Amino acid sequence: MNALISGIPSVYFLALAGILFSIGLVGVLIRRNAVIIFMSVELILNAVNLVFVTFSKTLLNVSGEVIVFFVMAIAACEAAIGLALVIAIFRQNKSSNVDELQSLKW
Amino acid sequence: MAKDFFMIAPDHPSFYLFLLFGTVAVITALNVIFQKNPVVSAVSLVFTFFSLAGIYAIMGAFFIATMQVLVYAGAIMVLVVFVIMLLSQRAETLSKFWDNPLKVLALSVFGMLFFFTLFSALQWGVPKQNPETKGYTVSELQTQYQYPINGGTSVTAEGNVAAVGAATYLDYVLPFELLSILLLVAVVGAVILAKRRLTTESTKDSTL
């Protein structure tokens, strides 16, 4: 694919999105602090948004940007619920370390 | 394919902006996952969001760039920092960064240059130059989108923001409305999560 966006090959944007996605994935896997895992998930969502915008611009179809807007709204929902959960778990267990959460273990 | 991949367009000013924002995004993203202190991670994540906003700006997606700054760098990061403040920090994770005035000065200068560049990218970002269309016809000014309606009439939307808005409210009305319900459910859920503990505490107090 050699489509140019503002004079830049769209492959560059996709490569950047891939790198950011990988960094977010590594963060989810190696970190144990729940808030940092949450931030890594945000990185993953941003990488996906970048892919959406890249293809939206490559194919000249505005729908991709609309979907990025929806992804952002859902990320806001996720932030509200997820961080409320982190706070609730921290109150219960005095820790936000995901390794120490065992209440669903049987 | 390999030749395409390594094709560099250094004559275009947007390319240098892309290099800057891409480098900052990757470095700060690595900083997010490898820092011990969650506060430093959060600040790095803010920089990642801002550099992605710059990348959206040089792609010509101005609406997304604005939303990136408002929603991600604004609203979501406020929530994250709020939660980090509520969680008790262990002493060994706190960084000694702010003890060194030279580092603080370097960070301030870098931050100023970065935000100046971001501003110029938002100002000078060049939309894609291509008359080919798919669903939307782009005029010669590259800023007008003809949005067709079923009956044959069409809405003319000028600029990226208007085009995205037209697509949102004409093509994606149902997902948009469902999204508002989802946001309402999220708000109610967050309130319930925060409230339940208080009610159990009060009942416990009353029984004692």
Side-chain angles (χ1 to χ4, degrees):
Chain A
M1 180 185 296
N2 195 19
L4 294 180
I5 303 171
S6 301
I8 304 162
S10 58
V11 181
Y12 286 20
F13 294 104
L14 297 179
L16 177 66
I19 292 168
L20 287 178
F21 188 93
S22 313
I23 292 172
L25 194 62
V26 169
V28 169
L29 291 177
I30 68 170
R31 293 306 298 258
R32 285 176 296 178
N33 188 336
V35 180
I36 302 222
I37 289 177
F38 175 82
M39 289 197 262
S40 303
V41 173
E42 296 290 328
L43 269 181
I44 290 176
L45 288 173
N46 270 278
V48 174
N49 282 352
L50 186 53
V51 173
F52 268 120
V53 176
T54 305
F55 281 115
S56 166
K57 288 292 168 186
T58 309
L59 305 173
L60 273 178
N61 193 336
V62 165
S63 303
E65 295 177 45
V66 179
I67 289 172
V68 169
F69 174 62
F70 291 156
V71 169
M72 281 179 182
I74 288 173
C77 290
E78 179 224 341
I81 290 294
L83 292 174
L85 278 174
V86 170
I87 292 286
I89 290 168
F90 183 78
R91 280 178 175 173
Q92 196 83 25
N93 296 356
K94 303 286 174 259
S95 165
S96 61
N97 191 336
V98 291
D99 281 359
E100 297 165 16
L101 301 181
Q102 298 181 338
S103 44
L104 287 181
K105 221 176 189 178
W106 62 288
Chain B
M1 181 63 201
K3 193 183 160 198
D4 287 348
F5 186 80
F6 291 110
M7 190 193 80
I8 293 176
D11 54 330
H12 206 291
S14 296
F15 184 69
Y16 295 107
L17 288 175
F18 172 75
L19 275 189
L20 174 83
F21 289 129
T23 316
V24 171
V26 170
I27 289 174
T28 51
L30 286 171
N31 211 20
V32 168
I33 68 166
F34 287 123
Q35 282 286 344
K36 276 188 174 171
N37 186 354
V39 179
V40 181
S41 291
V43 174
S44 300
L45 194 59
V46 170
F47 271 94
T48 313
F49 288 159
F50 273 117
S51 24
L52 279 170
I55 283 174
Y56 295 146
I58 63 176
M59 292 166 101
F62 295 107
F63 177 72
I64 299 300
T66 316
M67 281 297 133
Q68 178 85 8
V69 172
L70 284 179
V71 176
Y72 270 122
I76 291 183
M77 289 319 293
V78 165
L79 267 177
V80 169
V81 173
F82 188 67
V83 168
I84 290 172
M85 281 162 54
L86 285 177
L87 306 180
S88 66
Q89 300 294 319
R90 292 178 185 142
E92 72 265 18
T93 63
L94 298 179
S95 79
K96 303 282 183 288
F97 181 84
W98 300 105
D99 296 348
N100 191 341
L102 206 62
K103 283 185 181 174
V104 173
L105 186 69
L107 183 70
S108 311
V109 171
F110 170 76
M112 279 169 58
L113 282 176
F114 178 79
F115 284 111
F116 180 75
T117 319
L118 182 63
F119 180 75
S120 63
L122 281 166
Q123 198 94 340
W124 300 97
V126 185
K128 179 175 163 64
Q129 311 260 325
N130 194 340
E132 193 187 332
T133 57
K134 185 162 189 171
Y136 304 87
T137 56
V138 188
S139 81
E140 290 178 354
L141 287 171
Q142 303 291 329
T143 53
Q144 288 196 345
Y145 293 78
Q146 290 285 338
Y147 188 90
I149 300 180
N150 297 334
T153 54
S154 68
V155 176
T156 305
E158 281 191 34
N160 176 255
V161 179
V164 176
T168 306
Y169 293 113
L170 293 171
D171 244 356
Y172 292 89
V173 181
L174 182 63
F176 185 79
E177 296 295 336
L178 290 179
L179 201 60
S180 62
I181 295 174
L182 183 68
L183 275 165
L184 181 68
V185 169
V187 170
V188 171
V191 169
I192 288 173
L193 277 173
K195 192 103 175 139
R196 179 175 294 162
R197 169 85 177 180
L198 296 178
T199 51
T200 51
E201 257 179 4
S202 62
T203 51
K204 201 189 294 174
D205 288 345
S206 61
T207 51
L208 284 176

